[in-house]
Amino acid sequence: MDIDIGLWAAIGFMFAAYAVVGNDALQTLGTFINSNRRLPWWALFLFAATVLVVVFAYGYISSGGDPSFGRLSNVDKYPIFEPQWYHALPPLMLLLLTRLGIPVSTTFMVLAIFATMGGMQSMLTKSLIGYGVAFLTGGVIYAVLAPTIERWFLKTSEQQHAPIWVLLQWITTGYLWAVWLMQDFANIFIFLPRGVDATGAAALNPMEASIAVVGILVLLAYTFWNQGGPVQRILKSKTNVSDIRSATIIDFTYASLLFYFKELNDIPMSTTWVFLGLIAGREFAIATLDNIRSPQATAKIVFADAGKAFVGLVISVAMGVGLPLIAEMLAG
């Protein structure tokens, strides 16, 4: 079975795979890594790797060779063409921003240069709605939990937790990781063959798919070894996220929001914005009701995170629009 993947497609894929896994480890696996520091990194990695392989295999088989779960099926918004050198630059920029601990939206950074203006508008609209819904959801849920369950979690943080919480967190993490992969596989596999070939078979053949998954697993292993990377600092700055009980509630709420938007339609969206919205609503509720800090101080933290995401959006759009024009100019 032949491997027919261009050089720039392969380079872009590897950049995107590492940037996506490294950047979004904050959202999907950050609380899991934080609250399971007593376990060796490879044990956590094996769990996440198993979920990834199962989700990929299900998507690839059930969608006729499309591991993006239909997120890229609209060729009017996400045309199929061979990636060039400038397509590999956005994920490289994402890698650099990730090293600086900036929570950039991988969806905008990677997909912007492949999408038409209609595709960009659809992603932006859905992501803004996602941030707003997540913010309200986090605020309402933690307005109830902050003076009750969360306050009890803080008071009993040094006590031995019931074993059931460990089981619940691992189940919830698997749920979250699976739903997130269904959303964000599009950001990685946009570089590889899509659709069908001349014979009607899947353009991404099983050999190419297997090699791609192995590459992602290697990069995922490094992320676990590195305990989530620099972006993890954002999560650590929030209130009581290392407690396994709080982490479980955060992960379940976030996963349920992603599942809702996944079922809503096939338009790609920024999972980063949904995560930041949820954490922002949670932080406002807890900080206000428990008098941990003033609303002004909380707003400063929230707007700092949102500001970084907005900077990433501006860079994404600039690269998505500017790089093809530069390439045309260089081509004469």
Side-chain angles (χ1 to χ4, degrees):
M1 190 171 291
D2 295 335
I3 298 177
D4 186 21
I5 297 177
L7 175 62
W8 290 113
I11 293 175
F13 171 81
M14 293 308 295
F15 282 163
Y18 180 54
V20 167
V21 169
N23 188 69
D24 290 342
L26 162 71
Q27 310 160 24
T28 56
L29 301 170
T31 53
F32 181 64
I33 294 172
N34 255 0
S35 55
N36 287 282
R37 291 181 176 276
R38 67 190 183 283
L39 296 177
W41 68 268
W42 55 264
L44 306 180
F45 161 72
L46 287 177
F47 173 72
T50 301
V51 174
L52 186 148
V53 171
V54 171
V55 170
F56 175 84
Y58 171 72
Y60 184 81
I61 295 172
S62 65
S63 301
D66 176 19
S68 72
F69 288 83
R71 294 287 179 271
L72 304 174
S73 60
N74 189 334
V75 294
D76 292 330
K77 293 184 177 181
Y78 310 98
I80 298 176
F81 51 82
E82 180 65 26
Q84 303 300 316
W85 62 267
Y86 55 89
H87 291 100
L89 293 182
L92 177 59
M93 175 63 73
L94 180 57
L95 266 177
L96 298 177
L97 295 176
T98 297
R99 294 300 90 194
L100 297 176
I102 298 177
V104 183
S105 167
T106 56
T107 299
F108 289 125
M109 184 64 76
V110 176
L111 295 188
I113 199 168
F114 289 92
T116 63
M117 290 305 295
M120 274 294 299
Q121 183 179 5
S122 298
M123 290 191 297
L124 180 59
T125 301
K126 187 175 181 180
S127 299
L128 286 172
I129 293 173
Y131 184 96
V133 170
F135 182 88
L136 292 175
T137 301
V140 171
I141 289 177
Y142 283 93
V144 176
L145 298 184
T148 54
I149 295 177
E150 281 291 333
R151 188 169 296 174
W152 178 64
F153 287 168
L154 286 169
K155 291 180 179 179
T156 60
S157 60
E158 302 300 324
Q159 299 179 12
Q160 182 68 33
H161 306 320
I164 187 64
W165 282 107
V166 177
L167 176 62
L168 287 175
Q169 195 210 22
W170 283 65
I171 293 174
T172 301
T173 298
Y175 168 41
L176 170 59
W177 182 228
V179 176
W180 176 85
L181 288 170
M182 293 176 186
Q183 288 275 9
D184 275 32
F185 264 154
N187 302 343
I188 303 175
F189 286 95
I190 185 74
F191 287 93
L192 300 187
R194 289 181 282 144
V196 296
D197 60 19
T199 66
L204 183 67
N205 64 53
M207 176 66 72
E208 295 167 340
S210 300
I211 293 174
V213 170
V214 170
I216 296 173
L217 291 177
V218 170
L219 298 173
L220 181 65
Y222 174 73
T223 299
F224 271 94
W225 175 80
N226 199 31
Q227 296 186 335
V231 185
Q232 190 76 341
R233 291 194 298 266
I234 295 174
L235 189 64
K236 293 177 180 177
S237 69
K238 303 303 184 291
T239 305
N240 197 32
V241 294
S242 60
D243 188 301
I244 191 171
R245 300 164 298 179
S246 292
T248 301
I249 295 175
I250 293 172
D251 287 352
F252 181 79
T253 306
Y254 179 41
S256 298
L257 285 167
L258 290 185
F259 182 78
Y260 167 74
F261 283 108
K262 171 188 171 296
E263 294 298 310
L264 185 63
N265 54 53
D266 289 337
I267 298 173
M269 70 178 301
S270 172
T271 55
T272 300
W273 285 25
V274 175
F275 177 76
L276 291 177
L278 173 62
I279 292 297
R282 174 186 186 272
E283 199 67 14
F284 264 112
I286 293 179
T288 302
L289 294 175
D290 284 351
N291 294 318
I292 294 175
R293 68 176 69 89
S294 68
Q296 293 80 7
T298 303
K300 184 177 180 181
I301 295 174
V302 169
F303 283 124
D305 293 342
K308 292 176 183 178
F310 180 75
V311 169
L313 173 62
V314 173
I315 295 174
S316 303
V317 174
M319 296 185 75
V321 175
L323 285 176
L325 294 178
I326 293 175
E328 289 182 11
M329 292 173 60
L330 292 177

